[in-house]
């Protein structure tokens, strides 16, 4: 079954405010037309790379005045056809929840999503802070700069899936997806200094050293950890040579793209996408358990 990925058309994208240390609105406003043009090209290259890797890409429209809608990873957490719409911490992004909810209702009509609910009571910034790990069948849940620590329990209850809570250590790596990326083969690419000591400990307990790939300062600064892993293909902001070699040695094909217009907002490949097709395998497991019981 092929991946289904949501992207937001970049027509309304710009860097208009700063809510993370990467954002440079003054740079953008110095030459908005050139940046917008570069952003459109970078976005199209990413879409083409996803499609070349076999994904089906569904495109939604953004809204004027809500430039960060171009990062649908933050729109919702999605599993088993259920979408839990985000609740954003910053007032600049809070109004995105409504248009994202409407977009998901349209996806529901198109049969791409089954159930749509809104996050209440806690901050939770979508898949940016709730990354589904297909190999381990659990959510890695980030908290601190954006999502509330209590979001892990909410996600666990809503989806009936295991969650592992990882507190983030710095504002620079403000969403878990900026520093943590489970790969299709079961390895996890991550940037150690971005996790608290307790979070690293929890992660080490669940993922053996042979499956941990440490990103360097350089890799994290290039925004390459924010990657989309599709089978043997990994699509990321152009990586430093050493990281590309390391992943190639493990059998991956790395597609490195110039995503600089989006890094100017603190976003990369993963942020610009949202998987709609992840399943927990709960149903498959239930069928297998039943088969064993009745065997
Ligand atoms: N400017 C956006 C923000 O600060 C970037 C979001 C990037 N998305 C992500 N999933 N890391 O919220």
């Amino acid at each position: 079954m092929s991946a289904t990925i949501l992207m937001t058309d970049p027509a309304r994208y710009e860097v208009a405010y700063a809510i993370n240390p990467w954002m440079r609105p003054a740079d953008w406003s110095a030459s908005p037309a050139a940046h917008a043009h570069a952003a459109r090209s970078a976005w199209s290259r990413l879409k083409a790379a996803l499609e070349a890797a076999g994904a089906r890409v569904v495109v939604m429209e953004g809204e004027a005045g809500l430039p960060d809608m171009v990062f649908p990873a933050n729109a919702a957490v999605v599993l088993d056809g259920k979408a839990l719409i985000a609740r954003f911490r910053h007032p600049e992004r809070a109004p995105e929840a409504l248009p994202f909810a409407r977009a998901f209702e349209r996806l529901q009509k198109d049969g791409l999503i089954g159930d749509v609910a809104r996050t209440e009571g806690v901050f939770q910034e979508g898949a940016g802070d709730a990354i589904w790990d297909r190999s381990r069948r659990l959510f890695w849940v980030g908290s601190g700069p954006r999502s509330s620590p209590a979001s892990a329990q909410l996600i666990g209850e809503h989806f009936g899936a295991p969650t592992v809570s990882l507190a983030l250590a710095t504002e620079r790596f403000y969403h878990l997806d900026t520093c943590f990326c489970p790969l299709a083969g079961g390895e996890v690419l991550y940037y150690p200094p971005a996790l608290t000591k307790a979070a690293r400990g929890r992660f080490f307990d669940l993922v053996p050293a042979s499956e941990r790939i440490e990103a360097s300062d350089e890799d994290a600064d290039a925004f390459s950890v924010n990657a989309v892993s599709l089978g043997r293909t990994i699509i990321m902001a152009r990586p430093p040579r050493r990281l590309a070699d390391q992943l190639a040695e493990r059998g991956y094909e790395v597609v490195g793209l110039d995503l600089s217009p989006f890094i100017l907002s603190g976003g990369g490949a993963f942020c610009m996408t949202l998987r709609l097709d992840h399943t927990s395998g709960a149903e498959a497991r239930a069928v297998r358990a039943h088969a064993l019981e009745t065997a």
Side-chain angles (χ1 to χ4, degrees), residues 119-144:
T119 299
E120 312 277 356
V122 300
F123 296 117
Q124 202 295 313
E125 300 204 352
D129 268 332
I131 304 176
W132 180 247
D133 185 328
R134 288 164 73 92
S135 312
R136 296 173 187 81
R137 297 189 183 284
L138 56 79
F139 280 113
W140 297 103
V141 178
S143 65

Side-chain angles (χ1 to χ4, degrees), residues 19-20 23 68 71 74 93 128 146 174-175 177 265-266 271:
I19 54 171
N20 73 56
M23 294 180 85
D68 280 339
F71 301 113
N74 300 124
R93 295 201 69 180
R146 298 292 179 88
Y174 58 93
H175 281 141
D177 68 1
S265 187
C271 308

